[in-house]
Amino acid sequence: ETPVLFKQELQNEEAKEGKQVRLTCELSKPGTPVKWMKGDTVLYASEKYEFKQHGTVAELIIKDVKSLDA
């Protein structure tokens, strides 16, 4: 089976505290499960984190951004 590769890797994004930020990456294979992490910590969907996936594009939306989210 062909390995899944990043066609577009994550880019650094800036946001003002209290706003939201959207992080996007593109994979080589549509529908591939994505695990979002901050360091060694796995992120789970919540009021703070929203995950979207459309074909090969995966998005993480971080709401109410704080300096801890850097």
Side-chain angles (χ1 to χ4, degrees):
E1 188 173 318
T2 307
V4 177
L5 304 172
F6 285 107
K7 289 174 70 177
Q8 176 193 332
E9 295 196 16
L10 285 176
Q11 303 295 313
N12 287 329
E13 298 288 341
E14 290 187 19
K16 293 188 183 295
E17 279 202 33
K19 300 294 184 185
Q20 75 175 24
V21 67
R22 181 182 310 257
L23 301 173
T24 304
C25 65
E26 186 174 359
L27 307 166
S28 60
K29 186 176 177 185
T32 302
V34 173
K35 183 190 305 184
W36 291 96
M37 302 180 72
K38 180 180 185 225
D40 294 331
T41 304
V42 177
L43 305 179
Y44 295 97
S46 63
E47 288 185 14
K48 176 113 179 130
Y49 304 114
E50 181 181 348
F51 308 124
K52 293 184 178 183
Q53 195 161 355
H54 308 283
T56 58
V57 177
E59 294 180 322
L60 164 62
I61 300 163
I62 304 173
K63 301 173 186 172
D64 190 23
V65 172
K66 304 283 186 218
S67 58
L68 292 172
D69 296 316

